[in-house]
Amino acid sequence: MAKLVEQTYGEALFQTAVETNQVDAFLEEVNLIQTVLKQNPQWDGLMRHPKITKQEKVEIMKGAFGGKISREMTGFLELILTKERYGQLQAVFRYFTDKVKEEKKIGTAYVTTPMELSEIRKADIQSRLLATTPYLTMEMHYAVDPSLIGGMVIRIKDRVVDSSIRTKLAEMKKELLQIQLG
């Protein structure tokens, strides 16, 4: 059900952005709203409080964001609040952001290595990913996991390329355990 909600509302927000030719503006507003929500954790409790009416929540939201975001985005947030979908707002925004990135051919890659990479190596990995994927630009996220021993793990969407020594050793162990001595 939650997947359907985020897809339905995220798609509606995306279509509105496309129809009004405001994709970049909506993306900026979504990022602004997410930043405000992250910086104010009490906001979440306020919007979920059962004793505050929907209309009061809408008025609070308009007071907080009025003049800072477009009329369309204000209307969208009002719809989310009146339909009691605030709990799925982050997922809706994530869906919208992913849809915008897909439209603009922006990929997101998560690269995990056993040690910190140099800037030259990072640039090399990014250029190789751009050459082998349909993306025009790539957002790169790097992490260090010493348990990989060597190699790297790259994740783009639901596709994972694992060339780590840890995985190769695990596969080798599995193969050796399957050999029957006779």
Side-chain angles (χ1 to χ4, degrees), residues 54-73:
K54 292 178 196 176
Q55 192 54 42
E56 289 172 323
K57 291 175 185 177
V58 168
E59 293 305 316
I60 292 168
M61 181 272 304
K62 285 181 178 177
F65 292 110
K68 295 176 185 75
I69 59 175
S70 66
R71 183 178 50 80
E72 292 87 356
M73 188 61 74

Side-chain angles (χ1 to χ4, degrees), residues 91 121 138:
R121 185 73 174 120
M138 190 71 74

Side-chain angles (χ1 to χ4, degrees), residues 9 54-55 57-59 61-62 69 71-85:
Y9 285 87
K54 292 178 196 176
Q55 192 54 42
K57 291 175 185 177
V58 168
E59 293 305 316
M61 181 272 304
K62 285 181 178 177
I69 59 175
R71 183 178 50 80
E72 292 87 356
M73 188 61 74
T74 303
F76 179 76
L77 290 176
E78 185 174 344
L79 178 69
I80 290 285
L81 291 170
T82 57
K83 296 290 185 180
E84 297 183 350
R85 298 294 187 202

Side-chain angles (χ1 to χ4, degrees), residues 6-93:
E6 75 185 53
Q7 188 174 353
T8 302
Y9 285 87
E11 190 65 38
L13 183 60
F14 180 75
Q15 290 304 321
T16 303
V18 169
E19 290 168 9
T20 59
N21 201 24
Q22 297 185 72
V23 173
D24 292 331
F26 275 27
L27 185 59
E28 283 181 33
E29 290 178 353
V30 163
N31 290 334
L32 169 75
I33 293 166
Q34 287 180 310
T35 300
V36 169
L37 297 180
K38 196 177 288 180
Q39 291 173 348
N40 299 289
Q42 68 278 16
W43 179 270
D44 198 47
L46 187 65
M47 290 296 121
R48 293 175 188 260
H49 199 285
K51 293 194 177 186
I52 299 175
T53 67
K54 292 178 196 176
Q55 192 54 42
E56 289 172 323
K57 291 175 185 177
V58 168
E59 293 305 316
I60 292 168
M61 181 272 304
K62 285 181 178 177
F65 292 110
K68 295 176 185 75
I69 59 175
S70 66
R71 183 178 50 80
E72 292 87 356
M73 188 61 74
T74 303
F76 179 76
L77 290 176
E78 185 174 344
L79 178 69
I80 290 285
L81 291 170
T82 57
K83 296 290 185 180
E84 297 183 350
R85 298 294 187 202
Y86 179 79
Q88 288 89 22
L89 184 62
Q90 291 299 334
V92 169
F93 282 166

Side-chain angles (χ1 to χ4, degrees), residues 101 107-112 122 138-143 153 155:
K101 286 180 181 179
T108 304
Y110 297 89
V111 179
T112 307
K122 288 179 180 180
M138 190 71 74
E139 290 179 359
M140 303 296 293
H141 301 276
Y142 295 95
V153 177
R155 182 173 62 85

Side-chain angles (χ1 to χ4, degrees), residues 112 148 150-154 160-168:
T112 307
L148 293 179
M152 69 179 66
V153 177
I154 301 173
V160 177
V161 177
D162 187 343
S163 65
S164 68
I165 301 295
R166 177 183 65 191
T167 299
K168 289 180 181 177

